[in-house]
Amino acid sequence: MTPLHLEASDALLVVDMQYDFLPGGSLGVPGGDQVLGPINRLIKLFGEQGLPVYASRDWHPGDHCSFAARGGPWPPHCVAGTRGAAFSDALRLPPDAIVVSKAETADVDAYSAFNGTGLAGQLRARGVRRVAVCGLATDYCVLNTALDARANGFDVLVVPQAMRAVDVNPGDGERAIAAMVERGALPVQVDELAAASV
Ligand code: VGL
Ligand code: ZN
């Protein structure tokens, strides 16, 4: 396997690793817990290189428009401040991880961590040019985050083994990965990523 060397302008973006998206949660993604290991390896690798780790979270008010009670497609999930909205304790986020909260107002949904969060500006201010994207769910927040990263001019690495799909329709996850690749994201495996070359 040819190693893909990390660069000083890389950042890791961990999408929505919250209890409600893990098995047992109100919107549990099948196999969602299986990505904790690969994501923790990514966190360790980026941390060892001194590269920034961003963690997005769905952070909804109790009357969010995406909830079934308001005619939305989802059961209530990730209500700000609840246990379901907390990051999994099994996720080894570094103390200096940058938390990005999204879809915080009742009448707007946002699947992308770039939507209404100022993330693109934060990344640019830090000199980030490429983001590695992983987390939940492949076919919603990961997809939209990766596409927005490309739309904002960032290079994107996607790590399929570190993401899982809701798959409301079978194949949604595979199609989401294909859509990211179609827009220029590069699929990589955790073991392929190597320390920055000197
Ligand atoms: C998500 C459904 C609803 C996600 C968020 O993080 O992928 N999916 N809200
Ligand atoms: Zn949501």
Side-chain angles (χ1 to χ4, degrees):
M1 207 173 331
T2 322
L4 195 155
H5 291 284
L6 292 178
E7 293 168 17
S9 52
D10 286 337
L12 179 64
L13 182 43
V14 179
V15 175
D16 298 8
M17 288 301 292
Q18 298 162 271
Y19 282 115
D20 273 342
F21 293 127
L22 290 162
S26 65
L27 187 34
V29 177
D33 49 343
Q34 294 167 9
V35 303
L36 283 160
I39 291 178
N40 284 334
R41 283 157 61 207
L42 289 168
I43 290 172
K44 184 162 183 280
L45 179 67
F46 278 70
E48 283 167 357
Q49 306 299 303
L51 300 174
V53 176
Y54 292 79
S56 72
R57 62 183 184 186
D58 223 20
W59 201 245
H60 296 318
D63 59 347
H64 192 249
C65 60
S66 75
F67 297 173
R70 290 201 50 199
W74 307 114
H77 62 277
C78 299
V79 173
T82 62
R83 161 127 181 129
F87 290 124
S88 166
D89 285 330
L91 186 70
R92 306 235 171 78
L93 284 178
D96 60 351
I98 300 128
V99 175
V100 180
S101 301
K102 62 184 170 61
E104 292 183 281
T105 54
D107 295 333
V108 187
D109 201 7
Y111 289 139
S112 164
F114 286 88
N115 193 341
T117 61
L119 177 59
Q122 278 188 64
L123 290 168
R124 280 188 204 110
R126 240 181 130 130
V128 173
R129 290 206 300 258
R130 182 170 67 177
V131 290
V133 182
C134 60
L136 301 171
T138 309
D139 37 359
Y140 294 94
C141 289
V142 173
L143 169 65
N144 286 279
T145 296
L147 295 183
D148 268 358
R150 292 293 300 131
N152 280 283
F154 296 96
D155 287 330
V156 173
L157 303 175
V158 291
V159 194
Q161 80 190 107
M163 52 182 70
R164 288 292 182 280
V166 180
D167 275 338
V168 168
N169 309 294
D172 281 352
E174 288 307 317
R175 282 187 290 274
I177 291 170
M180 296 182 236
V181 171
E182 164 80 18
R183 296 268 192 103
L186 182 71
V188 295
Q189 293 181 301
V190 177
D191 288 338
E192 210 174 327
L193 296 174
S197 39
V198 276

